Amino acid sequence: MSILFNMPYRDIEAHELFQLEDMVLVDIRSPQEYKEFHIPGAVNVPLFENEEKKLIGYIYRNEGVDRARELGEELAKGKLEEFYRRFKELRDKHKNVVVYCWRGGMRSQGMCKAMSDMGLELLRLKGGYRAYRQFILRDMERVLEGIDFIVLTGKTGVGKTKVLKLLKEEGMPVIDLEDLAKDRGSVFGSVGIGEEVSQKQFDALLYEELRRVGSGLVFIEDESRRIGNVYIPESFWKKKERGTYVEIKASMETRVKNIISDYMKREGWEEEAREAVKRIKKYLGPQRFNYLMECFERADYEEVIRFLIEEYYDKKYRQFGEPVIEVNCDDARECVKRLKEFYDSLSHEGKVQDIALQGR
């Protein structure tokens, strides 16, 4: 037993995570649970593998909690030396090793107790991931108080995401919501990406990004409340609605090139795009749908994109705020320059109106 803590391990509250120095988080849930969502930056040292967890769950449902606990202990005992090795490596590299499971129950308690018995002092997140999630959703509103958004709005393909990436490369404060969601926020939003993000993971990533940018003005893209399969948290959405809106514009040629660049990077994008078009067949009508399928057959992808921009995206386009200026993005670097000037104008009182008049 540790003399320092007067107990096998020490529990910490979720808010204390952000006060620890030199910390590593260890998620001991199964690999599948970890993949679905985890605290950003955490490493996975699973107490049970996916099939083992399924078996324990089956035993629990059919034979009761005692037998399930016995089976869990049997499976874990055979891995203790490997667990010790992995936690020892982490403990040698980091001052604080924090273990968590889903609700801070038997898995994290058992792991911390076992490692303590073998001479390793660990910390345990009280309440597990669930407590962490409850905390960040409450705390997000507080963090947002010190942030004001410059919201880039504009039609599909004008280059908003490209501009955000360039701004970030130049050290400007940026939060890329579509990158966090792994979706571009439309019926074609996931084409060519090949990843999915759960709501829990999105919220955690968004909170960490808000903490990263700190306070002040931050560039974001204008999004609807839903991005693919995830929703923007209420506190973030309300702050975005009160942001300063800038409309990005570009020629049809630029828009087509941007979409080709964004959507056609990953193998298999064409079939994903065909399936996406099928989902809007009712909106397009049979004649326009058949025309698109013909374009796919002859690999005329530029025409597919141009047609979808004119007949689908532009007709469904909706702005969520009134832009104070317009910036052309046919030249992305020049667009970034203008946006940085606008950022500076907002940072220094009295210049916003002049910039807005120039932009009209």
Side-chain angles (χ1 to χ4, degrees), residues 340-358:
K340 290 174 70 175
E341 291 173 354
F342 183 66
Y343 178 94
D344 289 340
S345 76
L346 289 181
S347 300
H348 300 85
E349 293 182 5
K351 297 184 180 180
V352 179
Q353 187 174 2
D354 293 338
I355 294 289
L357 290 173
Q358 293 171 21

Side-chain angles (χ1 to χ4, degrees), residues 32-58:
Q32 184 59 44
E33 291 174 289
Y34 174 85
K35 181 180 179 181
E36 184 181 354
F37 58 86
H38 56 269
I39 299 176
V43 298
N44 188 209
V45 180
L47 180 59
F48 303 118
E49 298 298 327
N50 295 332
E51 293 304 316
E52 291 174 332
K53 185 176 181 299
K54 288 180 182 178
L55 177 59
I56 292 171
Y58 175 84

Side-chain angles (χ1 to χ4, degrees), residues 252-269:
M252 179 61 71
E253 180 183 5
T254 296
R255 294 171 70 186
V256 171
K257 287 180 179 178
N258 285 339
I259 293 176
I260 288 175
S261 174
D262 288 343
Y263 284 68
M264 298 185 183
K265 296 176 181 177
R266 180 173 171 271
E267 186 177 349
W269 73 268

Side-chain angles (χ1 to χ4, degrees), residues 100-118:
Y100 73 89
C101 56
W102 167 229
R103 294 184 297 181
M106 289 186 292
R107 283 187 285 182
S108 59
Q109 291 174 6
M111 181 68 83
C112 288
K113 175 63 168 61
M115 293 301 100
S116 177
D117 290 344
M118 299 176 77

